[in-house]
Amino acid sequence: MNFSRLCTPNEHLINRRQWLGGTAAGLLGLACPTLADELKKKAKQVLFVWLDGGLSQLESWDPKPNTQFGGPFRAIPTAVPGIQVSELLPRTAKQMQHLAIVRSLCTKDNSHSAGVARIQRGDPKNRGVTYPFFGSAVAKWLGAGESGLPPYIWIKPGSGGFIPEDAGFLGPKYGALALGDGKPPENLLLNKSLTEADDIERNELRAKLDQRYAEQRRREVVEAQQYIFDMAAQLRKHRAIFDQSTFAPKDVERYGSHEFGRHMLLARRVLEAGVRFVKVNSYGWDTHGDNFNGHANLVPKVDQAFASLIEDLADRKMLDNVLVVMMSEFGRTPRINGHIGRDHWPEAWSLVMAGCGVKRGVVVGKTNNLGTYVDGPEHDIGHLFHTWFKALGVDPQNNEYDNNRQPLPIAHDDCQPIAELLS
Amino acid sequence: MLRPASVIAVLCAFAMASVVSAEPLHREIDRLIAARAGDVPAARPADDAEFLRRIYLDLAGRIPSVQEARAFLDDESTDKRAQLIDRLLASPDYPRRMQEQFHVMLMERLGDHPEWQKYLRESFAANKPWDQLAREILGGGLQDGQPKGAAFFYAKRLENYGQNPVDYPGLTRDVGRLFLGMDLACAQCHNHLFIKSYKQADFQGLHAFFQNTFLAGGLNIGEKPTTQKLGFQSVFKKEPLETAPRVPGLPELELPAIEKGKEFIKAPDPKTKAPGVLRFSPLAKLAEQLPTAENAAFSKNIVNRLWWVMLGRGLVHPLDLHHADNPASHPELLDLLAKEFVEHKYDIQWLLRELALSQTYQRSSVLPNAAEPPSPALFLVAHEKRVSAEQLLHSMLEATGERANVKEGTALDQLQLKFLRAFANPRREPEDTFNPSLKAALFVLNDDTVLGWLNPKSGNLAQRLADLQDADKLAEELYLSVLARRPTGLEKQEVAAYLMKKGDQREQAIKHLAWALLASTEFSVNH
């Protein structure tokens, strides 16, 4: 029997003033107040790069050249002596002094449909509830901050809109604002029949009506309505962020003029604007056939944009406060199949992270000589959720969700932070 | 603006209620609401314009046209409210409105189907009793002669959604929530932790009705024979349990011993995909056992939901948490509504009419003069209700005078899709509260659709306003058309001043004025 989005009996009680899509609420009210106040000063942010499908660890962070399953690519040295990565990552190799590689991932799901959500929800113990994605969780714990923008922005190819599903039991207001193709929400720009002066004038007329209507009525309704109109105005004020035509040509060249490059450049802007959590998706990481040409095509684009962004965050001193994670749903099989492809492999794979108190220039964990299994302690996604939360100042030991009186740990109860990753 | 007639009506209602018990239901409602309120002051009665707009939105699914508004406000007959209620219940708008309301309530934006819409429309046009509707929907259209469209409730929920398996627990949960007012979701894996009366056996018993159902294609629901009880165990106590299909509160079904190979009266036909007819059909049993007068949860759920449709909040609130620790705000009233509804053979029109006639329904949403607003659960002030995407579309067309320019069929359907995108909740999110969204605001602010309606075209609002030279007349036409009320003196002055200020930019001034009214909270909620 499958489990639907269950165990949210009181969810109707939650005031669903969700962000776009459904509803709206005071963004500053999103996070639990005391913690939010404390964290606001530090202004921690997250960049979460999701390579949808599976990046081959052997063609990226854990190369095994000249071994049975190693494939054709060489390993190259990085800025940190003793650490090598695949030759498909030459630019990122030069940023290794900022990065931490984890080579000991061992997760539990190798099916696509379940994998994305399972990993991004941190694969907690099944208590019959749908956990939030990492982005929604961070939105909940750290709030929107003072950017005037939503706390969780998702830059992705394809369609956009508000994605409430990511929020799970937290309720739709913690969902993601997806910028499909990096574009702003529909109807954000002023209708072409209107001037800025028109817009101010008509909204003054509207505000006057609302004020009069509100005078003798319960406050909530008018306030919620006013809030979303203010938010619309705020977002439009920030519309320059979404205008990709104003990217500096030099930056476009560095990040790459391809889709992922532009989206990562947009991510930098959105982070600079103070958005709490930015997710960037790249699709097509499913090389069951022709794995090596596939990676030779896909990885360099990621290398270019990722290395540029790390370099920029470091230059801007943002890396102290921005947690960067780049990962997939799973790794790929060491065994090379009959289609010269690699299949799904959750048993032993890698990810890369940086910033926000994560140790710099380190590799944590290792696989055996053939790269088939983890050699030493294995790390599930739950360990990483503990690590990330801890890096963000939300210690899973001291914080838990309150799902209408049902206390829930924020990360898998049997996992702990990976101490070697945290400085 | 207390009208003497209504004051007398209120006084009479209270005076008579104390001596006579066989009162019409609407008087009993007011008596029970007043009894619970004690000294807490209530809002004044809604004035004619408030009542007018509210009753149109609730029973016709739209605001009144400017002619309808004028006619009602100028009507001096003392029983004009009751007359209007009856007129609207008999109008072709009523079945459409109920079709939309029940579609949103039962499908929660999961999807849509023309046969389902036709089924709902025809059912409400015929004022089909609720127990019959529930029997048809819960029976899944398996029996001969059952309306096919009713099967959509199951059909949509038995689809695979993307790569996910069929969400049987979700279906179980929805039947419990929508027909019994019990959200048993948390009792899937264990007895509910906080609600004593929600047992895992209740969830599993209800679940057992659906374990062998499947979507045979189109709107055809199929059932595989149910020969065994459903096994389950609690995640807390590893002890094997089992249940036959069982409606919560009733005994388990007896599974008849049927010889293998003889389960079907009419075998499934793989060619036509006809799912066949079982000798023992759990769905047929569910349809027989759940919607009955003996099943109190069934009647209480629906009267609570119809109360919510009209009053904006359930007597039991949230709507799907009926249980001992979450009692109705007015338990006697809920019991009375349920009892009378059953006695009136589940007549939805009758109940809506009684609710609409009550003083409780006809309160203003303007707060009484008191330090603290009264608790919402006392029903002493009208709740500001959400206006659905459908109501909003019909109302905007009415307000802008564009209704005549949009033909039924494709044009209207496309507009409806746009409005759903902008104003409807995501799938599975009940639309039971007012929750404005940014995408809705952006739609109203900048989408061509609504702004286009504010350009003058023959007979539309902008044109009618452009033709009025007198600023007071213009203000009256504008406010009556959009807000279904006449402007106050101050509002007339403001309109005149704004028109004056804009000078020869009159067309644009009119557009801004009309837009401001359409985008206002007063227009966006049913107050």
Side-chain angles (χ1 to χ4, degrees), chain A residues 122-136:
Chain A
D123 199 11
K125 268 190 194 168
N126 185 354
R127 288 181 169 83
V129 299
T130 306
Y131 263 71
F133 275 39
F134 188 44
S136 298

mmCIF file of all heavy atoms in Angstrom, chain A residues 122-136:
data_model
loop_
_atom_site.group_PDB
_atom_site.id
_atom_site.type_symbol
_atom_site.label_atom_id
_atom_site.label_comp_id
_atom_site.label_asym_id
_atom_site.label_seq_id
_atom_site.Cartn_x
_atom_site.Cartn_y
_atom_site.Cartn_z
ATOM 1 N N GLY A 122 15.006 14.475 2.451
ATOM 2 C CA GLY A 122 15.934 14.011 3.481
ATOM 3 C C GLY A 122 15.667 12.587 3.942
ATOM 4 O O GLY A 122 16.262 12.137 4.915
ATOM 5 N N ASP A 123 14.752 11.887 3.265
ATOM 6 C CA ASP A 123 14.452 10.483 3.553
ATOM 7 C C ASP A 123 14.351 10.199 5.053
ATOM 8 O O ASP A 123 15.055 9.349 5.589
ATOM 9 C CB ASP A 123 15.523 9.584 2.916
ATOM 10 C CG ASP A 123 15.025 8.139 2.781
ATOM 11 O OD1 ASP A 123 13.817 7.912 2.985
ATOM 12 O OD2 ASP A 123 15.851 7.263 2.494
ATOM 13 N N PRO A 124 13.467 10.905 5.737
ATOM 14 C CA PRO A 124 13.332 10.664 7.179
ATOM 15 C C PRO A 124 12.574 9.370 7.433
ATOM 16 O O PRO A 124 12.038 8.779 6.504
ATOM 17 C CB PRO A 124 12.515 11.856 7.656
ATOM 18 C CG PRO A 124 11.667 12.217 6.475
ATOM 19 C CD PRO A 124 12.465 11.849 5.245
ATOM 20 N N LYS A 125 12.507 8.961 8.678
ATOM 21 C CA LYS A 125 11.710 7.788 9.041
ATOM 22 C C LYS A 125 10.261 8.003 8.625
ATOM 23 O O LYS A 125 9.738 9.110 8.741
ATOM 24 C CB LYS A 125 11.746 7.594 10.555
ATOM 25 C CG LYS A 125 12.837 6.687 11.006
ATOM 26 C CD LYS A 125 12.665 6.352 12.491
ATOM 27 C CE LYS A 125 13.940 5.729 13.004
ATOM 28 N NZ LYS A 125 13.965 5.643 14.457
ATOM 29 N N ASN A 126 9.632 6.941 8.172
ATOM 30 C CA ASN A 126 8.248 7.069 7.732
ATOM 31 C C ASN A 126 7.313 7.209 8.928
ATOM 32 O O ASN A 126 7.129 6.287 9.708
ATOM 33 C CB ASN A 126 7.861 5.843 6.914
ATOM 34 C CG ASN A 126 6.466 5.996 6.335
ATOM 35 O OD1 ASN A 126 5.762 6.968 6.636
ATOM 36 N ND2 ASN A 126 6.074 5.063 5.501
ATOM 37 N N ARG A 127 6.746 8.387 9.068
ATOM 38 C CA ARG A 127 5.732 8.584 10.094
ATOM 39 C C ARG A 127 4.401 8.928 9.456
ATOM 40 O O ARG A 127 3.536 9.550 10.048
ATOM 41 C CB ARG A 127 6.168 9.705 11.046
ATOM 42 C CG ARG A 127 7.313 9.287 11.959
ATOM 43 C CD ARG A 127 7.700 10.419 12.891
ATOM 44 N NE ARG A 127 8.607 9.980 13.927
ATOM 45 C CZ ARG A 127 9.923 9.873 13.773
ATOM 46 N NH1 ARG A 127 10.465 10.136 12.606
ATOM 47 N NH2 ARG A 127 10.689 9.483 14.774
ATOM 48 N N GLY A 128 4.280 8.535 8.197
ATOM 49 C CA GLY A 128 3.015 8.767 7.512
ATOM 50 C C GLY A 128 2.790 10.223 7.133
ATOM 51 O O GLY A 128 1.689 10.603 6.787
ATOM 52 N N VAL A 129 3.817 11.034 7.234
ATOM 53 C CA VAL A 129 3.657 12.435 6.839
ATOM 54 C C VAL A 129 4.583 12.717 5.664
ATOM 55 O O VAL A 129 5.564 12.016 5.450
ATOM 56 C CB VAL A 129 4.012 13.424 7.974
ATOM 57 C CG1 VAL A 129 3.100 13.212 9.154
ATOM 58 C CG2 VAL A 129 5.466 13.271 8.395
ATOM 59 N N THR A 130 4.239 13.729 4.911
ATOM 60 C CA THR A 130 5.089 14.125 3.799
ATOM 61 C C THR A 130 5.994 15.253 4.251
ATOM 62 O O THR A 130 5.529 16.356 4.539
ATOM 63 C CB THR A 130 4.235 14.582 2.611
ATOM 64 O OG1 THR A 130 3.299 13.537 2.316
ATOM 65 C CG2 THR A 130 5.095 14.839 1.398
ATOM 66 N N TYR A 131 7.272 14.965 4.319
ATOM 67 C CA TYR A 131 8.236 15.971 4.778
ATOM 68 C C TYR A 131 8.455 17.047 3.717
ATOM 69 O O TYR A 131 8.259 16.817 2.529
ATOM 70 C CB TYR A 131 9.579 15.281 5.083
ATOM 71 C CG TYR A 131 9.750 14.966 6.551
ATOM 72 C CD1 TYR A 131 8.990 13.960 7.143
ATOM 73 C CD2 TYR A 131 10.650 15.665 7.340
ATOM 74 C CE1 TYR A 131 9.135 13.669 8.494
ATOM 75 C CE2 TYR A 131 10.814 15.378 8.684
ATOM 76 C CZ TYR A 131 10.049 14.387 9.262
ATOM 77 O OH TYR A 131 10.191 14.111 10.588
ATOM 78 N N PRO A 132 8.865 18.237 4.156
ATOM 79 C CA PRO A 132 9.185 19.280 3.188
ATOM 80 C C PRO A 132 10.491 18.995 2.447
ATOM 81 O O PRO A 132 11.373 18.337 2.988
ATOM 82 C CB PRO A 132 9.337 20.523 4.065
ATOM 83 C CG PRO A 132 9.691 20.006 5.420
ATOM 84 C CD PRO A 132 9.018 18.671 5.550
ATOM 85 N N PHE A 133 10.590 19.500 1.238
ATOM 86 C CA PHE A 133 11.874 19.533 0.536
ATOM 87 C C PHE A 133 12.833 20.429 1.337
ATOM 88 O O PHE A 133 12.396 21.282 2.117
ATOM 89 C CB PHE A 133 11.704 20.119 -0.873
ATOM 90 C CG PHE A 133 11.280 19.125 -1.920
ATOM 91 C CD1 PHE A 133 10.360 18.122 -1.638
ATOM 92 C CD2 PHE A 133 11.797 19.183 -3.213
ATOM 93 C CE1 PHE A 133 9.963 17.210 -2.602
ATOM 94 C CE2 PHE A 133 11.413 18.274 -4.190
ATOM 95 C CZ PHE A 133 10.497 17.293 -3.887
ATOM 96 N N PHE A 134 14.116 20.261 1.075
ATOM 97 C CA PHE A 134 15.118 21.039 1.807
ATOM 98 C C PHE A 134 14.825 22.540 1.694
ATOM 99 O O PHE A 134 14.907 23.281 2.673
ATOM 100 C CB PHE A 134 16.510 20.688 1.275
ATOM 101 C CG PHE A 134 17.635 21.278 2.076
ATOM 102 C CD1 PHE A 134 17.623 21.245 3.467
ATOM 103 C CD2 PHE A 134 18.725 21.852 1.430
ATOM 104 C CE1 PHE A 134 18.681 21.786 4.201
ATOM 105 C CE2 PHE A 134 19.781 22.388 2.156
ATOM 106 C CZ PHE A 134 19.754 22.360 3.541
ATOM 107 N N GLY A 135 14.469 22.974 0.497
ATOM 108 C CA GLY A 135 14.196 24.402 0.283
ATOM 109 C C GLY A 135 13.056 24.912 1.153
ATOM 110 O O GLY A 135 13.127 25.996 1.733
ATOM 111 N N SER A 136 11.984 24.123 1.242
ATOM 112 C CA SER A 136 10.847 24.536 2.066
ATOM 113 C C SER A 136 11.230 24.522 3.543
ATOM 114 O O SER A 136 10.812 25.380 4.323
ATOM 115 C CB SER A 136 9.661 23.594 1.839
ATOM 116 O OG SER A 136 9.253 23.653 0.497
#
